[in-house]
Amino acid sequence: MRYVAAYLLAVLGGKTSPAAADVEKILSSVGIEADSEKLKRVIAELNGKSVDELIAQGREKLSSMPAGGAAPAAGAVAAAAPAQEEKKEEKETKKEESESDDEDMGFGLFD
């Protein structure tokens, strides 16, 4: 994913068809050492293709994948607001208890 992300950043930077050196420069700027084999594969797969078309194809593929539980979640949205308020109150009381229990855990940081 990092190679694809760097490739997309190069495209956003104005390169219509980024070379391996462009992607390596982006990756090295954030401290990532590029694997030349993986980089060559990404460049070969994406070279000459429109990024906008690739993103559109990817969206189509993702929309056909099941999302596991998406249908019941739509019906639960109406009931979610009161439940969230109750959860906030529970979290606040749990925080107070956990802070006092974990305060020093029986030893100091520099003991």
Side-chain angles (χ1 to χ4, degrees):
M1 285 302 290
R2 63 181 73 168
Y3 300 102
V4 175
Y7 186 91
L8 291 174
L9 284 172
V11 170
L12 286 174
K15 304 270 184 178
T16 56
S17 183
D22 299 324
V23 176
E24 284 179 355
K25 184 177 178 182
I26 292 170
L27 291 173
S28 67
S29 72
V30 293
I32 297 173
E33 198 169 314
D35 180 8
S36 62
E37 244 179 75
K38 291 180 182 178
L39 184 56
K40 286 179 186 177
R41 187 180 325 160
V42 168
I43 296 292
E45 290 291 325
L46 298 177
N47 196 15
K49 296 180 181 176
S50 168
V51 173
D52 295 327
E53 290 175 10
L54 291 172
I55 291 172
Q57 290 173 357
R59 284 186 181 163
E60 288 175 19
K61 288 180 181 179
L62 285 174
S63 67
S64 67
M65 293 177 59
V77 172
Q84 287 177 351
E85 292 176 13
E86 292 175 15
K87 287 181 183 179
K88 286 181 184 178
E89 291 175 12
E90 290 176 16
K91 286 182 183 179
E92 289 176 9
T93 58
K94 287 181 182 178
K95 271 188 180 179
E96 291 172 7
E97 294 173 22
S98 65
E99 287 176 8
S100 62
D101 293 341
D102 296 337
E103 197 167 313
D104 65 359
M105 295 176 39
F107 59 91
L109 183 61
F110 299 105
D111 286 344

